Amino acid sequence: MVGAGPYGLSAAAHLRGAGVPVRIFGEVMGSWRHAMATGMFLKSTPAASDLSAPEPGGRLADFRRVHGEAELTELTPIPCEVFVRYGMWFRKRYVGEVESARAVAVDQAPPPGPGFLVRLDDGQEFPAAAVVVATGLNGLAHIPQELRRLAPEGPGVGALISHTSHHTDLSPYAGQRVAVVGGGQSALESAALLHESGADVQVLVREPRVLWGMKPDLVRPWTQRVAKPASPLGTGWVLAAVCKAPGGVRWLPAAARMLLFRRALGPSGGWWLRDRVSGIVPVRTSSRVTRAEAIASCVRLEIDEPGGSETLAVDHVIAATGYRLDLDALPFLSSTVRGAVACVPGSKAPHLSASFESSVPGLYFTGSLTAPMFGPMMRFVAGTEFAATRIAQHASQAPAIR
């Protein structure tokens, strides 16, 4: 198992529950600990934030109850630090040992042996009958080329341009001029935290308006429940359908699946965040950055807006421009393995069986990389149960693994 976030922990828990010997590598909840700024919250509701265990007792609500903490409701945003503590508890209870060593190479075993040869960063090598890739969004951060040119040596906290995933603390930008590019949750929440830390921040959004989630109504009349059924990702028949039957999404034509992947759940902010941004942080809609230029230690952005072009000078740019699913961004997979993995037409995401197995026998993927096959639920913690149960069931029946 490569990766120890929500999907990796859930898959490992089910594999071990099925009696499959498994080694899991990575830092437990690493991205949640190091790619989220202090003070951030989950966008999902408590009911959509459960990791998947092979037996009852592993939900977020169970964790809260065990520790004598109040149960969270749909009206309670979940702090990231609470979710990290939940993941650490889940690991101890259902997974056991997680090795901190990092997998640096996964290659197919030399003939005639089946399976893979795995090498770790400490030099250790060992054979594996199967490999599950559960690396989440690590390495998949996307920064548009026009902005990336601001940092020839690479974006990051110390450069003029960074991605939201580079930050664990936004307070060092106090007193600085910061432009946040993007209109989704990470952009809006980062902007709120920057403003609250004393930064002079502006948000540049391409769309004509910012979308906000609706405050949950805990007692909806039956007419609304029928018209817009609830799901882990929100209300509406489309979301309810793709959450109820992710396996059915896989049978759609590739073009339809990619359209669903790109259009479902576009950029928006959580309902609870609106009061911290609207009327407080300057948000410029219909704004497109056409040129970015470094001048000394500052950045000059040329922006196209309905009223014309404008130049904006800032000290730093934070790109909240999402992630791009790309197998080539997984350097631990050898070029031979990556070349043998069939991709979803129109993307660089792996084409998978109903059991999340790729075209390379024994190589499984889980998490965000599987969304073009199984739908938008795989982009969220809510998809852990669907993925983990199917991977474990298939792997436990494979003779080479048993």
Side-chain angles (χ1 to χ4, degrees), residues 304-316:
D304 269 358
E305 294 180 322
S309 299
E310 184 180 337
T311 299
L312 176 65
V314 296
D315 301 302
H316 188 79

Side-chain angles (χ1 to χ4, degrees), residues 166-180:
H166 294 149
H167 296 277
T168 57
D169 183 7
L170 294 170
S171 63
Y173 293 100
Q176 296 189 37
R177 301 165 298 172
V178 182
V180 178

Side-chain angles (χ1 to χ4, degrees), residues 91-181:
R91 190 275 300 174
K92 290 180 181 178
R93 182 163 183 170
Y94 295 103
V95 178
E97 181 185 9
V98 173
E99 302 178 54
S100 60
R102 185 168 55 91
V104 295
V106 173
D107 206 346
Q108 290 184 296
F116 304 88
L117 187 64
V118 179
R119 187 171 76 252
L120 306 179
D121 59 0
D122 61 6
Q124 180 185 172
E125 287 189 349
F126 63 93
V131 172
V132 180
V133 177
T135 49
L137 295 171
N138 285 337
L140 302 179
H142 170 64
I143 298 178
Q145 189 59 41
E146 185 56 44
L147 295 176
R148 184 175 285 273
R149 63 194 292 267
L150 292 171
E153 298 181 3
V157 174
L160 292 174
I161 173 75
S162 63
H163 190 270
T164 48
S165 62
H166 294 149
H167 296 277
T168 57
D169 183 7
L170 294 170
S171 63
Y173 293 100
Q176 296 189 37
R177 301 165 298 172
V178 182
V180 178
V181 180

Side-chain angles (χ1 to χ4, degrees), residues 53-389:
E55 59 188 46
R59 300 177 304 144
L60 176 60
D62 297 316
F63 162 74
R64 299 282 290 183
R65 185 173 57 254
V66 166
H67 290 84
E69 300 173 4
E71 184 173 354
L72 301 169
T73 74
E74 289 188 56
L75 299 178
T76 314
I78 307 169
C80 283
E81 62 89 12
V82 169
F83 189 64
V84 168
R85 287 196 295 114
Y86 166 50
M88 306 292 275
W89 170 82
F90 183 95
R91 190 275 300 174
K92 290 180 181 178
R93 182 163 183 170
Y94 295 103
V95 178
E97 181 185 9
V98 173
E99 302 178 54
S100 60
R102 185 168 55 91
V104 295
V106 173
D107 206 346
Q108 290 184 296
F116 304 88
L117 187 64
V118 179
R119 187 171 76 252
L120 306 179
D121 59 0
D122 61 6
Q124 180 185 172
E125 287 189 349
F126 63 93
V131 172
V132 180
V133 177
T135 49
L137 295 171
N138 285 337
L140 302 179
H142 170 64
I143 298 178
Q145 189 59 41
E146 185 56 44
L147 295 176
R148 184 175 285 273
R149 63 194 292 267
L150 292 171
E153 298 181 3
V157 174
L160 292 174
I161 173 75
S162 63
H163 190 270
T164 48
S165 62
H166 294 149
H167 296 277
T168 57
D169 183 7
L170 294 170
S171 63
Y173 293 100
Q176 296 189 37
R177 301 165 298 172
V178 182
V180 178
V181 180
Q185 176 71 12
S186 63
L188 299 168
E189 192 170 13
S190 294
L193 290 169
L194 285 162
H195 171 78
E196 292 159 4
S197 296
D200 178 8
V201 58
Q202 296 188 49
V203 185
L204 307 178
V205 183
R206 287 187 305 175
E207 300 301 322
R209 66 190 182 100
V210 173
L211 299 178
W212 297 99
M214 297 293 292
K215 184 177 180 178
D217 186 351
L218 301 183
V219 186
R220 292 198 302 155
W222 71 269
T223 52
Q224 290 185 15
R225 296 198 302 269
V226 170
K228 292 186 175 182
S231 79
L233 304 186
T235 59
W237 279 103
V238 172
L239 291 180
V242 299
C243 290
K244 186 69 174 178
V249 175
R250 182 176 168 274
W251 292 103
L252 295 173
R257 280 189 276 111
M258 290 306 299
L259 183 64
L260 178 65
F261 170 73
R262 295 188 176 112
R263 296 287 181 86
L265 296 172
S268 66
W271 64 269
W272 46 266
L273 181 61
R274 188 169 191 167
D275 290 343
R276 295 168 57 193
V277 176
S278 294
I280 297 173
V281 177
V283 178
R284 302 169 63 158
T285 55
S286 299
S287 295
R288 184 180 296 271
V289 177
T290 58
R291 181 174 176 79
E293 183 179 8
I295 301 177
S297 59
C298 298
V299 175
R300 186 172 68 186
L301 300 176
E302 293 184 10
I303 305 169
D304 269 358
E305 294 180 322
S309 299
E310 184 180 337
T311 299
L312 176 65
V314 296
D315 301 302
H316 188 79
V317 178
I318 296 180
T321 44
Y323 299 84
R324 185 159 290 177
L325 305 186
D326 187 351
L327 280 176
D328 291 335
L330 305 179
F332 60 88
L333 293 179
S334 73
S335 58
T336 301
V337 170
R338 276 185 277 123
V341 175
C343 290
V344 176
S347 83
K348 292 187 177 181
H351 187 279
L352 304 170
S353 73
S355 301
F356 289 77
E357 188 178 30
S358 71
S359 56
V360 176
L363 180 63
Y364 299 84
F365 290 85
T366 186
S368 294
L369 277 167
T370 71
M373 285 298 303
F374 294 98
M377 193 164 74
M378 297 299 111
R379 294 162 47 195
F380 299 89
V381 178
T384 55
E385 181 175 4
F386 179 80
T389 53

Side-chain angles (χ1 to χ4, degrees), residues 34-49:
H34 305 303
M36 300 279 187
T38 301
M40 283 192 165
F41 293 80
L42 272 67
K43 189 178 179 183
S44 56
T45 64
S49 303

